[in-house]
Amino acid sequence: MIETTDDSRRFPPALADVALVEIDYDDGEGVDFEPYGAFDSAEETTDWLRHWTGNHELDGDAYRVFGQDGTGGLAALWCVRPGRPLDEQPVVFFGSEGERGVVAANLSDFLWVLADGLGPLEIVDFGQREGRPNPDLTALAERHATTPRRPAREIVDEAQAEFPSFSDDIDALCR
């Protein structure tokens, strides 16, 4: 198990605020992301990861699931930086059909990605790097973000370059 901090299961205030914003799917032209108001439980996360990978020896301790898309793909904080708080952990996505990828290097950058009108599904499944900016999510990011605003394209590319083996590492867990 990768330890983050004592607050490793406390839902970050920024994510709680994201859950209060209506994210417009706009009949497939918007963002397909349904944020949760709390993390999935440790048990739910372990059950999901075991089924997703087919590896029933795993536990879900490295992930904090906080949202989904309409097909059941899940967005999570990946607790890969030992001793660091949750908001400094990367955001990753696991699609319902086996897609997976790094979305942002930390929660703050993820807020800017949402503000730019992109969600985890659009980035990982469709390779999108440009969306339609969302004024409500921009205001939220301006309140909570600790990183400077940058285009989603730059945020995603930097995060994926920082964690280039994420997909291969997940493949190694699959049975």
Side-chain angles (χ1 to χ4, degrees):
M1 178 171 118
I2 296 174
E3 290 294 323
T4 53
T5 65
D6 292 337
D7 294 330
S8 69
R9 297 225 53 98
R10 185 176 299 167
F11 206 61
L15 285 178
D17 282 356
V18 168
L20 300 174
V21 175
E22 184 175 338
I23 298 178
D24 189 5
Y25 180 61
D26 191 22
D27 294 321
E29 299 298 318
V31 176
D32 186 359
F33 181 61
E34 302 166 19
Y36 300 164
F39 290 127
D40 278 352
S41 71
E43 295 80 16
E44 289 171 310
T45 302
T46 292
D47 186 55
W48 154 76
L49 185 63
R50 287 176 176 173
H51 284 90
W52 199 92
T53 61
N55 184 342
H56 294 277
E57 296 174 13
L58 297 176
D59 65 44
D61 288 346
Y63 302 97
R64 302 296 182 273
V65 176
F66 66 86
Q68 68 180 43
D69 67 35
T71 69
L74 298 177
L77 294 172
W78 176 32
C79 301
V80 69
R81 294 177 171 137
R84 306 274 291 276
L86 287 178
D87 60 358
E88 293 180 17
Q89 303 295 338
V91 174
V92 296
F93 179 74
F94 292 85
S96 63
E97 300 298 320
E99 311 85 356
R100 70 275 193 180
V102 178
V103 176
N106 54 58
L107 181 55
S108 181
D109 282 348
F110 179 67
L111 297 176
W112 292 122
V113 169
L114 289 175
D116 267 3
L118 293 171
L121 172 76
E122 290 79 23
I123 290 167
V124 173
D125 282 8
F126 306 125
Q128 286 182 250
R129 297 295 186 267
E130 293 182 23
R132 294 182 306 180
N134 179 310
D136 293 331
L137 290 168
T138 298
L140 187 150
E142 288 170 346
R143 284 193 311 275
H144 288 285
T146 57
T147 55
R149 183 171 192 165
R150 298 180 325 283
R153 173 183 308 282
E154 184 178 317
I155 290 170
V156 173
D157 290 348
E158 286 176 8
Q160 291 179 351
E162 184 177 353
F163 300 101
S165 67
F166 176 73
S167 186
D168 292 337
D169 294 345
I170 296 300
D171 281 346
L173 298 176
C174 293
R175 300 291 178 253

